[in-house]
Amino acid sequence: MKNDEIKRANRKALPKFLLFAVVCAVVGGAVGYGFGYESGNGKLLEVLKNACSFFGAYIAPWVMVATAVVVPTVCIPIYEGAKKLLGSWDGENEGVSDNIDRKLSVVMWVTSAAFIVAYFLIAASYSKGLATFDDEKRTVVFFIGIAAFFAIMVEAIVLQQKCVDTTKRMNPEKKASVYDMKFQKKWMEDCDEAEKIIVGKCAYKAYFATNMTCAVLSIVLA
């Protein structure tokens, strides 16, 4: 009986899968041929090269500066709001604790996203290598970007440490320091079973998102 159900499920899903594969093959072939044709003429590659060079030299550093300004501007008020709620929390009201968790999660998300974007931007900034220092203006902009990158790094670390410390005040059983090299292991040891289940679900979603991201990047880079 179980084998019949498995076969029926496969037969039902197979046509859609094959149609999707054919569509992807046609689109991929058309796009690949188009890029190959344009690359053979040399025009597309030259445009892309110039655009990437300009972005890395003159745009990426300033985007990092803007990010370094936006992160504390957005995150500090949210964090202060969570801290204020914690000060008035009676230790029992789950609605208040959930609200605190949401605010802290937003701060963690924003700082993590900013940090990831900063890594991309810093790579773009020094993609010209030593040629960056051939132009004085470009060199100044490059070092401004470096300073902004370190500012984003410090902001992310400090804000996330503040969020973890706030969570620890809500949950006295959690004692691990965010600067501890074994922080994740110790944090998990302090989690109860319900929290570990939530961590497992989040880990699965992160695994799925990573697979999708890697697939998209593989297509783009190829």
Side-chain angles (χ1 to χ4, degrees), residues 136-153:
E136 184 177 344
K137 182 179 179 181
R138 192 161 58 189
T139 302
V140 172
V141 174
F142 172 75
F143 281 109
I144 290 174
I146 292 291
F149 174 79
F150 280 108
I152 294 168
M153 181 187 298

Side-chain angles (χ1 to χ4, degrees), residues 2-175:
K2 186 64 176 178
N3 289 336
D4 292 339
E5 292 178 3
I6 294 173
K7 289 179 181 179
R8 279 197 300 270
N10 287 336
R11 283 196 296 267
K12 183 178 180 181
L14 184 60
K16 292 181 180 179
F17 173 79
L18 292 176
L19 177 62
F20 179 74
V22 170
V23 170
C24 287
V26 172
V27 172
V31 173
Y33 176 80
F35 270 94
Y37 179 78
E38 288 295 330
S39 298
N41 293 334
K43 297 178 181 178
L44 179 63
L45 289 179
E46 190 65 26
V47 170
L48 289 175
K49 181 181 178 180
N50 292 336
C52 291
S53 178
F54 182 82
F55 175 82
Y58 298 108
I59 298 179
W62 294 114
V63 175
M64 277 192 288
V65 171
T67 304
V69 173
V70 169
V71 168
T73 302
V74 171
C75 292
I76 290 178
I78 297 174
Y79 169 72
E80 290 296 333
K83 191 176 177 181
K84 185 177 180 181
L85 283 174
L86 180 61
S88 62
W89 185 45
D90 58 6
E92 299 293 337
N93 192 324
E94 292 187 2
V96 174
S97 64
D98 289 343
N99 197 7
I100 295 172
D101 284 335
R102 279 193 293 271
K103 289 180 178 293
L104 296 178
S105 294
V106 169
V107 175
M108 297 289 281
W109 270 98
V110 171
T111 52
S112 296
F115 206 9
I116 293 170
V117 170
Y119 270 117
F120 165 75
L121 293 173
I122 194 66
S125 297
Y126 62 69
S127 60
K128 292 287 290 184
L130 294 177
T132 301
F133 305 106
D134 293 341
D135 182 89
E136 184 177 344
K137 182 179 179 181
R138 192 161 58 189
T139 302
V140 172
V141 174
F142 172 75
F143 281 109
I144 290 174
I146 292 291
F149 174 79
F150 280 108
I152 294 168
M153 181 187 298
V154 172
E155 290 166 358
I157 292 172
V158 172
L159 284 168
Q160 291 189 9
Q161 175 245 308
K162 295 289 185 183
C163 289
V164 171
D165 289 348
T166 302
T167 302
K168 285 159 66 176
R169 283 192 284 273
M170 291 175 60
N171 304 273
E173 73 277 5
K174 300 185 187 299
K175 299 178 177 62

